[in-house]
Amino acid sequence: MSSEPPRIPKVNKKTYHHRLHALQVELVKLQRHLIRSDAKILVLIEGRDTAGKDGVIKRITEHLSPRETRVVALGKPSDRDQSAWYFQRYVPHLPVAQEFVLFNRSWYNRAGVERVMGFASHAQYREFMETVFDFEHMLIRSGIRLVKYYLDITLDEQLKRLEARRTDPLKQWKVSPIDEVAAEHWHDYSVARNEMLARTHHPLSPWTIVRADVKRQARLNLIADLLSRLDYEHKDVDALASDPDIVFGFEPRFITSGLIAS
């Protein structure tokens, strides 16, 4: 049975910028350590349209070295991509030593938009779900530190943000044909999301959920959680407190409890 999830408190602009600055200082510390230790970090940011993926990635990368930091946001696959091994188009973008790479959407497109919009066949979807663990675990064994986040929003919030994209001339570049039908397929995306989370959550490559209706809180809590998971020198643990009602490890019961938007 679903219930009302805990309310997400708003945060004023002054407090937000103060906390964000402290977290961005920690991100710079992380990058210095990453470069010195030849580490490889890969962060997947998934979520529905308008969930806030661009915004949180911008705040993570804002003060990092562009030489060792990359954001990957692949477009529509080409005919060549469609004839290749599914994961092949993602491999050239994986991090090497000293690199911090964030994927704004990832291979999980196959379990989300491609499944819902009919861009992938049932056989392709089934093959993906049966092989994604093998792929991710190969990356982990190669020394890549993989972290997976799913930004979760409610239907009401998505409708507000879609309308803002249509009316704000500075946001209209974000509007796509997929956006236009996102709300119409809300239930289908929920079903696809639930199955994706349940079947691809693994102790070696778990999903972390971020309740993202309040953008500032989503950004602060995701960054704090990410930093708390990674080892680096001179870590300010006090700056990395996160709210467990906003960011938390996936559990199947959260789908029916109301903690994940239905």
mmCIF file with all atom_site columns, all heavy atoms in Angstrom, residues 40-55:
data_model
loop_
_atom_site.group_PDB
_atom_site.id
_atom_site.type_symbol
_atom_site.label_atom_id
_atom_site.label_alt_id
_atom_site.label_comp_id
_atom_site.label_asym_id
_atom_site.label_entity_id
_atom_site.label_seq_id
_atom_site.pdbx_PDB_ins_code
_atom_site.Cartn_x
_atom_site.Cartn_y
_atom_site.Cartn_z
_atom_site.occupancy
_atom_site.B_iso_or_equiv
_atom_site.pdbx_formal_charge
_atom_site.auth_seq_id
_atom_site.auth_comp_id
_atom_site.auth_asym_id
_atom_site.auth_atom_id
_atom_site.pdbx_PDB_model_num
ATOM 1   N N   . LYS A 1 40 ? 39.798 6.205  -11.736 1.00 0.00 ? 40 LYS A N   1
ATOM 2   C CA  . LYS A 1 40 ? 38.832 6.358  -12.823 1.00 0.00 ? 40 LYS A CA  1
ATOM 3   C C   . LYS A 1 40 ? 37.434 6.336  -12.212 1.00 0.00 ? 40 LYS A C   1
ATOM 4   O O   . LYS A 1 40 ? 37.046 5.330  -11.607 1.00 0.00 ? 40 LYS A O   1
ATOM 5   C CB  . LYS A 1 40 ? 38.970 5.226  -13.841 1.00 0.00 ? 40 LYS A CB  1
ATOM 6   C CG  . LYS A 1 40 ? 40.318 5.172  -14.539 1.00 0.00 ? 40 LYS A CG  1
ATOM 7   C CD  . LYS A 1 40 ? 40.454 3.955  -15.440 1.00 0.00 ? 40 LYS A CD  1
ATOM 8   C CE  . LYS A 1 40 ? 40.769 2.706  -14.649 1.00 0.00 ? 40 LYS A CE  1
ATOM 9   N NZ  . LYS A 1 40 ? 41.100 1.543  -15.522 1.00 0.00 ? 40 LYS A NZ  1
ATOM 10  N N   . ILE A 1 41 ? 36.684 7.428  -12.370 1.00 0.00 ? 41 ILE A N   1
ATOM 11  C CA  . ILE A 1 41 ? 35.349 7.524  -11.773 1.00 0.00 ? 41 ILE A CA  1
ATOM 12  C C   . ILE A 1 41 ? 34.316 7.712  -12.883 1.00 0.00 ? 41 ILE A C   1
ATOM 13  O O   . ILE A 1 41 ? 34.485 8.554  -13.772 1.00 0.00 ? 41 ILE A O   1
ATOM 14  C CB  . ILE A 1 41 ? 35.265 8.697  -10.780 1.00 0.00 ? 41 ILE A CB  1
ATOM 15  C CG1 . ILE A 1 41 ? 36.239 8.479  -9.620  1.00 0.00 ? 41 ILE A CG1 1
ATOM 16  C CG2 . ILE A 1 41 ? 33.840 8.861  -10.257 1.00 0.00 ? 41 ILE A CG2 1
ATOM 17  C CD1 . ILE A 1 41 ? 36.289 9.630  -8.640  1.00 0.00 ? 41 ILE A CD1 1
ATOM 18  N N   . LEU A 1 42 ? 33.260 6.930  -12.810 1.00 0.00 ? 42 LEU A N   1
ATOM 19  C CA  . LEU A 1 42 ? 32.160 7.016  -13.766 1.00 0.00 ? 42 LEU A CA  1
ATOM 20  C C   . LEU A 1 42 ? 30.847 7.140  -13.004 1.00 0.00 ? 42 LEU A C   1
ATOM 21  O O   . LEU A 1 42 ? 30.508 6.263  -12.198 1.00 0.00 ? 42 LEU A O   1
ATOM 22  C CB  . LEU A 1 42 ? 32.124 5.773  -14.656 1.00 0.00 ? 42 LEU A CB  1
ATOM 23  C CG  . LEU A 1 42 ? 30.983 5.665  -15.656 1.00 0.00 ? 42 LEU A CG  1
ATOM 24  C CD1 . LEU A 1 42 ? 30.990 6.831  -16.638 1.00 0.00 ? 42 LEU A CD1 1
ATOM 25  C CD2 . LEU A 1 42 ? 31.035 4.336  -16.396 1.00 0.00 ? 42 LEU A CD2 1
ATOM 26  N N   . VAL A 1 43 ? 30.109 8.225  -13.256 1.00 0.00 ? 43 VAL A N   1
ATOM 27  C CA  . VAL A 1 43 ? 28.835 8.474  -12.586 1.00 0.00 ? 43 VAL A CA  1
ATOM 28  C C   . VAL A 1 43 ? 27.731 8.495  -13.634 1.00 0.00 ? 43 VAL A C   1
ATOM 29  O O   . VAL A 1 43 ? 27.813 9.253  -14.615 1.00 0.00 ? 43 VAL A O   1
ATOM 30  C CB  . VAL A 1 43 ? 28.859 9.808  -11.818 1.00 0.00 ? 43 VAL A CB  1
ATOM 31  C CG1 . VAL A 1 43 ? 27.521 10.045 -11.121 1.00 0.00 ? 43 VAL A CG1 1
ATOM 32  C CG2 . VAL A 1 43 ? 30.002 9.819  -10.799 1.00 0.00 ? 43 VAL A CG2 1
ATOM 33  N N   . LEU A 1 44 ? 26.722 7.660  -13.451 1.00 0.00 ? 44 LEU A N   1
ATOM 34  C CA  . LEU A 1 44 ? 25.561 7.650  -14.339 1.00 0.00 ? 44 LEU A CA  1
ATOM 35  C C   . LEU A 1 44 ? 24.449 8.445  -13.677 1.00 0.00 ? 44 LEU A C   1
ATOM 36  O O   . LEU A 1 44 ? 24.092 8.191  -12.526 1.00 0.00 ? 44 LEU A O   1
ATOM 37  C CB  . LEU A 1 44 ? 25.074 6.225  -14.597 1.00 0.00 ? 44 LEU A CB  1
ATOM 38  C CG  . LEU A 1 44 ? 26.095 5.176  -15.058 1.00 0.00 ? 44 LEU A CG  1
ATOM 39  C CD1 . LEU A 1 44 ? 25.367 3.878  -15.419 1.00 0.00 ? 44 LEU A CD1 1
ATOM 40  C CD2 . LEU A 1 44 ? 26.934 5.676  -16.213 1.00 0.00 ? 44 LEU A CD2 1
ATOM 41  N N   . ILE A 1 45 ? 23.886 9.411  -14.419 1.00 0.00 ? 45 ILE A N   1
ATOM 42  C CA  . ILE A 1 45 ? 22.763 10.210 -13.927 1.00 0.00 ? 45 ILE A CA  1
ATOM 43  C C   . ILE A 1 45 ? 21.564 9.896  -14.805 1.00 0.00 ? 45 ILE A C   1
ATOM 44  O O   . ILE A 1 45 ? 21.521 10.270 -15.978 1.00 0.00 ? 45 ILE A O   1
ATOM 45  C CB  . ILE A 1 45 ? 23.062 11.726 -13.970 1.00 0.00 ? 45 ILE A CB  1
ATOM 46  C CG1 . ILE A 1 45 ? 24.384 12.051 -13.271 1.00 0.00 ? 45 ILE A CG1 1
ATOM 47  C CG2 . ILE A 1 45 ? 21.908 12.509 -13.359 1.00 0.00 ? 45 ILE A CG2 1
ATOM 48  C CD1 . ILE A 1 45 ? 24.371 11.916 -11.785 1.00 0.00 ? 45 ILE A CD1 1
ATOM 49  N N   . GLU A 1 46 ? 20.600 9.191  -14.242 1.00 0.00 ? 46 GLU A N   1
ATOM 50  C CA  . GLU A 1 46 ? 19.390 8.810  -14.967 1.00 0.00 ? 46 GLU A CA  1
ATOM 51  C C   . GLU A 1 46 ? 18.174 9.491  -14.348 1.00 0.00 ? 46 GLU A C   1
ATOM 52  O O   . GLU A 1 46 ? 18.237 10.010 -13.230 1.00 0.00 ? 46 GLU A O   1
ATOM 53  C CB  . GLU A 1 46 ? 19.206 7.291  -14.928 1.00 0.00 ? 46 GLU A CB  1
ATOM 54  C CG  . GLU A 1 46 ? 20.240 6.509  -15.726 1.00 0.00 ? 46 GLU A CG  1
ATOM 55  C CD  . GLU A 1 46 ? 20.038 6.619  -17.227 1.00 0.00 ? 46 GLU A CD  1
ATOM 56  O OE1 . GLU A 1 46 ? 18.923 7.004  -17.666 1.00 0.00 ? 46 GLU A OE1 1
ATOM 57  O OE2 . GLU A 1 46 ? 20.991 6.339  -17.976 1.00 0.00 ? 46 GLU A OE2 1
ATOM 58  N N   . GLY A 1 47 ? 17.062 9.473  -15.056 1.00 0.00 ? 47 GLY A N   1
ATOM 59  C CA  . GLY A 1 47 ? 15.822 10.059 -14.557 1.00 0.00 ? 47 GLY A CA  1
ATOM 60  C C   . GLY A 1 47 ? 14.902 10.427 -15.706 1.00 0.00 ? 47 GLY A C   1
ATOM 61  O O   . GLY A 1 47 ? 15.322 10.454 -16.870 1.00 0.00 ? 47 GLY A O   1
ATOM 62  N N   . ARG A 1 48 ? 13.658 10.717 -15.386 1.00 0.00 ? 48 ARG A N   1
ATOM 63  C CA  . ARG A 1 48 ? 12.696 11.129 -16.399 1.00 0.00 ? 48 ARG A CA  1
ATOM 64  C C   . ARG A 1 48 ? 13.110 12.460 -17.019 1.00 0.00 ? 48 ARG A C   1
ATOM 65  O O   . ARG A 1 48 ? 13.969 13.178 -16.495 1.00 0.00 ? 48 ARG A O   1
ATOM 66  C CB  . ARG A 1 48 ? 11.308 11.292 -15.766 1.00 0.00 ? 48 ARG A CB  1
ATOM 67  C CG  . ARG A 1 48 ? 10.698 10.041 -15.148 1.00 0.00 ? 48 ARG A CG  1
ATOM 68  C CD  . ARG A 1 48 ? 9.335  10.403 -14.586 1.00 0.00 ? 48 ARG A CD  1
ATOM 69  N NE  . ARG A 1 48 ? 8.772  9.380  -13.722 1.00 0.00 ? 48 ARG A NE  1
ATOM 70  C CZ  . ARG A 1 48 ? 7.888  8.472  -14.118 1.00 0.00 ? 48 ARG A CZ  1
ATOM 71  N NH1 . ARG A 1 48 ? 7.478  8.446  -15.371 1.00 0.00 ? 48 ARG A NH1 1
ATOM 72  N NH2 . ARG A 1 48 ? 7.404  7.587  -13.245 1.00 0.00 ? 48 ARG A NH2 1
ATOM 73  N N   . ASP A 1 49 ? 12.468 12.798 -18.123 1.00 0.00 ? 49 ASP A N   1
ATOM 74  C CA  . ASP A 1 49 ? 12.644 14.128 -18.697 1.00 0.00 ? 49 ASP A CA  1
ATOM 75  C C   . ASP A 1 49 ? 12.288 15.171 -17.634 1.00 0.00 ? 49 ASP A C   1
ATOM 76  O O   . ASP A 1 49 ? 11.312 15.013 -16.897 1.00 0.00 ? 49 ASP A O   1
ATOM 77  C CB  . ASP A 1 49 ? 11.735 14.304 -19.918 1.00 0.00 ? 49 ASP A CB  1
ATOM 78  C CG  . ASP A 1 49 ? 12.129 13.376 -21.053 1.00 0.00 ? 49 ASP A CG  1
ATOM 79  O OD1 . ASP A 1 49 ? 13.324 13.297 -21.352 1.00 0.00 ? 49 ASP A OD1 1
ATOM 80  O OD2 . ASP A 1 49 ? 11.237 12.719 -21.624 1.00 0.00 ? 49 ASP A OD2 1
ATOM 81  N N   . THR A 1 50 ? 13.082 16.227 -17.542 1.00 0.00 ? 50 THR A N   1
ATOM 82  C CA  . THR A 1 50 ? 12.930 17.355 -16.611 1.00 0.00 ? 50 THR A CA  1
ATOM 83  C C   . THR A 1 50 ? 13.315 17.013 -15.173 1.00 0.00 ? 50 THR A C   1
ATOM 84  O O   . THR A 1 50 ? 13.073 17.814 -14.267 1.00 0.00 ? 50 THR A O   1
ATOM 85  C CB  . THR A 1 50 ? 11.503 17.955 -16.601 1.00 0.00 ? 50 THR A CB  1
ATOM 86  O OG1 . THR A 1 50 ? 10.607 17.102 -15.867 1.00 0.00 ? 50 THR A OG1 1
ATOM 87  C CG2 . THR A 1 50 ? 10.966 18.210 -18.001 1.00 0.00 ? 50 THR A CG2 1
ATOM 88  N N   . ALA A 1 51 ? 13.918 15.859 -14.931 1.00 0.00 ? 51 ALA A N   1
ATOM 89  C CA  . ALA A 1 51 ? 14.229 15.467 -13.553 1.00 0.00 ? 51 ALA A CA  1
ATOM 90  C C   . ALA A 1 51 ? 15.349 16.298 -12.940 1.00 0.00 ? 51 ALA A C   1
ATOM 91  O O   . ALA A 1 51 ? 15.549 16.250 -11.719 1.00 0.00 ? 51 ALA A O   1
ATOM 92  C CB  . ALA A 1 51 ? 14.587 13.985 -13.487 1.00 0.00 ? 51 ALA A CB  1
ATOM 93  N N   . GLY A 1 52 ? 16.112 17.028 -13.759 1.00 0.00 ? 52 GLY A N   1
ATOM 94  C CA  . GLY A 1 52 ? 17.171 17.873 -13.209 1.00 0.00 ? 52 GLY A CA  1
ATOM 95  C C   . GLY A 1 52 ? 18.571 17.345 -13.439 1.00 0.00 ? 52 GLY A C   1
ATOM 96  O O   . GLY A 1 52 ? 19.511 17.757 -12.743 1.00 0.00 ? 52 GLY A O   1
ATOM 97  N N   . LYS A 1 53 ? 18.733 16.462 -14.418 1.00 0.00 ? 53 LYS A N   1
ATOM 98  C CA  . LYS A 1 53 ? 20.052 15.877 -14.687 1.00 0.00 ? 53 LYS A CA  1
ATOM 99  C C   . LYS A 1 53 ? 21.065 16.948 -15.095 1.00 0.00 ? 53 LYS A C   1
ATOM 100 O O   . LYS A 1 53 ? 22.193 16.976 -14.602 1.00 0.00 ? 53 LYS A O   1
ATOM 101 C CB  . LYS A 1 53 ? 19.918 14.803 -15.779 1.00 0.00 ? 53 LYS A CB  1
ATOM 102 C CG  . LYS A 1 53 ? 19.010 13.635 -15.387 1.00 0.00 ? 53 LYS A CG  1
ATOM 103 C CD  . LYS A 1 53 ? 18.864 12.610 -16.487 1.00 0.00 ? 53 LYS A CD  1
ATOM 104 C CE  . LYS A 1 53 ? 18.092 13.113 -17.688 1.00 0.00 ? 53 LYS A CE  1
ATOM 105 N NZ  . LYS A 1 53 ? 16.670 13.403 -17.376 1.00 0.00 ? 53 LYS A NZ  1
ATOM 106 N N   . ASP A 1 54 ? 20.677 17.818 -16.030 1.00 0.00 ? 54 ASP A N   1
ATOM 107 C CA  . ASP A 1 54 ? 21.593 18.878 -16.489 1.00 0.00 ? 54 ASP A CA  1
ATOM 108 C C   . ASP A 1 54 ? 22.042 19.755 -15.329 1.00 0.00 ? 54 ASP A C   1
ATOM 109 O O   . ASP A 1 54 ? 23.220 20.115 -15.227 1.00 0.00 ? 54 ASP A O   1
ATOM 110 C CB  . ASP A 1 54 ? 20.912 19.759 -17.549 1.00 0.00 ? 54 ASP A CB  1
ATOM 111 C CG  . ASP A 1 54 ? 20.620 19.026 -18.841 1.00 0.00 ? 54 ASP A CG  1
ATOM 112 O OD1 . ASP A 1 54 ? 21.359 18.082 -19.168 1.00 0.00 ? 54 ASP A OD1 1
ATOM 113 O OD2 . ASP A 1 54 ? 19.652 19.404 -19.531 1.00 0.00 ? 54 ASP A OD2 1
ATOM 114 N N   . GLY A 1 55 ? 21.102 20.125 -14.458 1.00 0.00 ? 55 GLY A N   1
ATOM 115 C CA  . GLY A 1 55 ? 21.406 21.041 -13.368 1.00 0.00 ? 55 GLY A CA  1
ATOM 116 C C   . GLY A 1 55 ? 22.398 20.475 -12.379 1.00 0.00 ? 55 GLY A C   1
ATOM 117 O O   . GLY A 1 55 ? 23.334 21.164 -11.957 1.00 0.00 ? 55 GLY A O   1
#
